[in-house]
Amino acid sequence: AQSVTQLGSHVSVSEGALVLLRCNYSSSVPPYLFWYVQYPNQGLQLLLKYTTGATLVKGINGFEAEFKKSETSFHLTKPSAHMSDAAEYFCAVMKGNTGFQKLVFGTGTRLLVSP
Amino acid sequence: SQTIHQWPATLVQPVGSPLSLECTVEGTSNPNLYWYRQAAGRGLQLLFYSVGIGQISSEVPQNLSASRPQDRQFILSSKKLLLSDSGFYLCAWSVRDRDYSPLHFGNGTRLTVT
């Protein structure tokens, strides 16, 4: 079954430091992977997605993620954290076939950014 | 451009009362529609999805039901709320029949059952 695991329910960084949020997937077929961000009391916003092609995917707000098949990982990174990056981040894998597909989410990682 | 609207934003309801949450999508046709629930410490759980008018599939047995009376309208309902129905409810849509179409979420409804 396709699933994702996010390591670390909370990650704390200082402003200007590297952000690294970890996601590992489990899939018997090529996975289609997504990262979403959720600000307090808001819905989820798509950061980036990996379907096929280039394994390094660039998203919005300076985030990027690299698909590594050998490590079954899709970690999210940003070179320099801003205070506005403080939010909860969800990794997700898509399940299903053309016609209907759904997202299965990890449990989320809350990013805390200190001045 | 496409937009998705959910209302109300917050709701406090007593146990045993009915529930109706509404979601509408604009700027697209024939979308797939979804209801997710986000409960504290439990991540995001898919409750219902729909691929067309009147076509509803349930992911988990529960006290809730969903309906799709129009192509771009999705309603989440309950006849009698339970305390365990408290949570943050998110509606989402995706493009039908397009591989790997991402889901686009509304701003959610926070439901507190007292």
Side-chain angles (χ1 to χ4, degrees):
Chain A
Q2 292 152 298
S3 65
V4 290
T5 302
Q6 292 184 244
L7 299 176
S9 59
H10 291 79
V11 170
S12 295
V13 300
S14 299
E15 193 172 20
L18 171 71
V19 175
L20 171 61
L21 305 181
R22 300 178 186 274
C23 174
N24 288 88
Y25 68 88
S26 172
S27 176
S28 59
V29 298
Y32 301 102
L33 298 161
F34 300 76
W35 275 101
Y36 282 81
V37 60
Q38 184 181 33
Y39 298 100
N41 294 311
Q42 293 189 24
L44 277 69
Q45 181 181 10
L46 178 67
L47 277 176
L48 50 81
K49 64 178 181 179
Y50 169 77
T51 54
T52 58
T55 56
L56 181 62
V57 180
K58 295 188 182 297
I60 62 171
N61 302 339
F63 285 93
E64 62 183 34
E66 186 170 11
F67 173 69
K68 291 188 177 181
K69 185 177 179 180
S70 61
E71 299 178 6
T72 61
S73 69
F74 190 57
H75 301 331
L76 183 70
T77 61
K78 182 174 180 178
S80 176
H82 294 163
M83 296 296 291
S84 59
D85 294 326
E88 189 151 23
Y89 292 80
F90 292 91
C91 181
V93 63
M94 185 158 275
K95 295 181 65 173
N97 303 304
T98 302
F100 177 73
Q101 295 166 320
K102 64 181 181 182
L103 286 176
V104 176
F105 288 89
T107 51
T109 298
R110 186 168 299 280
L111 176 65
L112 307 170
V113 183
S114 56
Chain B
S1 63
Q2 303 90 358
T3 56
I4 178 169
H5 303 280
Q6 277 188 251
W7 66 92
T10 60
L11 192 58
V12 180
Q13 293 283 99
V15 168
S17 64
L19 173 74
S20 180
L21 302 181
E22 190 161 343
C23 170
T24 59
V25 181
E26 296 177 358
T28 188
S29 297
N30 305 316
N32 289 328
L33 295 172
Y34 311 77
W35 279 111
Y36 280 83
R37 178 170 59 200
Q38 189 175 22
R42 297 187 63 182
L44 285 144
Q45 181 183 38
L46 179 61
L47 302 177
F48 300 95
Y49 62 88
S50 172
V51 299
I53 295 174
Q55 301 178 63
I56 309 295
S57 296
S58 174
E59 283 284 296
V60 293
Q62 58 203 311
N63 184 43
L64 302 169
S65 61
S67 61
R68 184 171 177 173
Q70 300 180 42
D71 180 48
R72 291 171 290 176
Q73 184 184 28
F74 206 23
I75 297 172
L76 184 69
S77 303
S78 173
K79 292 182 179 178
K80 289 186 177 181
L81 283 168
L82 306 172
L83 286 174
S84 57
D85 292 324
S86 292
F88 193 49
Y89 289 83
L90 290 158
C91 182
W93 71 273
S94 69
V95 176
R96 192 185 306 171
D97 295 331
R98 179 182 296 177
D99 283 347
Y100 328 124
S101 171
L103 273 64
H104 304 277
F105 287 83
N107 283 329
T109 295
R110 184 161 303 282
L111 172 65
T112 303
V113 182
T114 61

